[in-house]
Amino acid sequence: MPLALAPSLSWLAPPLCWGCSGPARRAEPLCGHCRGSFQRLAAEPVSLSGVAVWAPVAYAGPARELVRALKFRGARGVADAMAAQIVANAPPDLLPRGALVPVPLHPRRLRSRGYNQAAEIAAAIARRTGLEVAVRLARSGSTATQVGRARAERRVGPAGAIEPVGRAPTRVVLVDDVVTTGATLAACRAALLGAGSAEVRAVVFARTLGR
Ligand SMILES: [Zn+2]
């Protein structure tokens, strides 16, 4: 999408769809056609790197454009459309299972982006459901702090180790925007289980297929 047509910059023009740059209804990041062309995934969670993960849609087409808009174009409002897909389609017993814990962002990336996209999605799910958001994970700020740590503790390599923060909820639903291998979710789960959580599952907006 050309930058000049980016919806966040077009407050004088009609809202544009993040998927196709066509017209969209106000407060709707996608037009009806793009919304209808999500590649929907199975109702049951899948196991990735040992974590039960559920996503409503595949990481493709308009879903990928929404993720990019939230991550790279400052379109924070897009998180609500992602949350809407999650809340409307999640298995009934999944979301109410515990506290919503956003996957943490590296502090340097948080500074440059200004927000954690996973936390934006978690907050939007909470607004729609009344569930609790608990920020209980952090990434270490510097990869230098990993020097001298045991290999098993270097959970996510150069992106910074994931550490528990405060009291770990007994039951946790991790929240993120995209999952591919599940390695990051597994690192989050290991950190929370180590801090006392009994059950850690995950919801993400989109899952990469075919790997
Ligand atoms: Zn569209």
Side-chain angles (χ1 to χ4, degrees):
M1 176 184 305
L3 191 59
L5 293 178
S8 60
L9 302 177
S10 63
W11 59 277
L12 284 173
L16 297 177
C17 170
W18 282 107
C20 67
S21 300
R25 290 222 308 263
R26 199 160 294 283
E28 288 282 1
L30 293 176
C31 71
H33 173 77
C34 286
R35 241 186 355 264
S37 60
F38 281 137
Q39 189 181 339
R40 303 208 169 267
L41 299 180
E44 293 304 312
V46 297
S47 178
L48 292 174
S49 301
V51 185
V53 185
W54 178 82
V57 299
Y59 185 61
R64 182 162 48 204
E65 296 309 317
L66 281 190
V67 168
R68 288 176 176 167
L70 177 60
K71 233 175 188 157
F72 304 121
R73 297 173 187 262
R76 285 172 91 150
V78 165
D80 188 60
M82 296 177 173
Q85 290 294 327
I86 291 170
V87 170
N89 300 293
D93 64 332
L94 178 57
L95 287 176
R97 232 175 153 95
L100 302 169
V101 176
V103 169
L105 200 60
H106 190 279
R108 195 170 34 207
R109 204 164 285 166
L110 187 59
R111 274 196 300 278
S112 64
R113 190 169 298 160
Y115 57 87
N116 173 358
Q117 72 277 2
E120 297 291 314
I121 298 169
I125 294 172
R127 280 196 299 277
R128 286 173 170 272
T129 58
L131 295 168
E132 172 203 2
V133 176
V135 176
R136 291 292 183 270
L137 292 170
R139 273 192 217 249
S140 61
S142 164
T143 53
T145 62
Q146 291 185 58
V147 173
R149 296 175 68 150
R151 182 175 291 270
E153 287 180 318
R154 291 179 212 155
R155 293 192 177 103
V156 291
I162 290 176
E163 310 283 357
V165 176
R167 189 188 58 79
T170 306
R171 294 179 199 286
V172 169
V173 179
L174 293 166
V175 180
D176 208 354
D177 54 349
V178 181
V179 65
T180 300
T181 65
T184 302
L185 294 174
C188 292
R189 180 171 179 270
L192 287 164
L193 292 178
S197 292
E199 181 186 83
V200 181
R201 314 180 100 205
V203 294
V204 299
F205 168 62
R207 177 159 63 83
T208 304
L209 300 183
R211 304 214 175 182

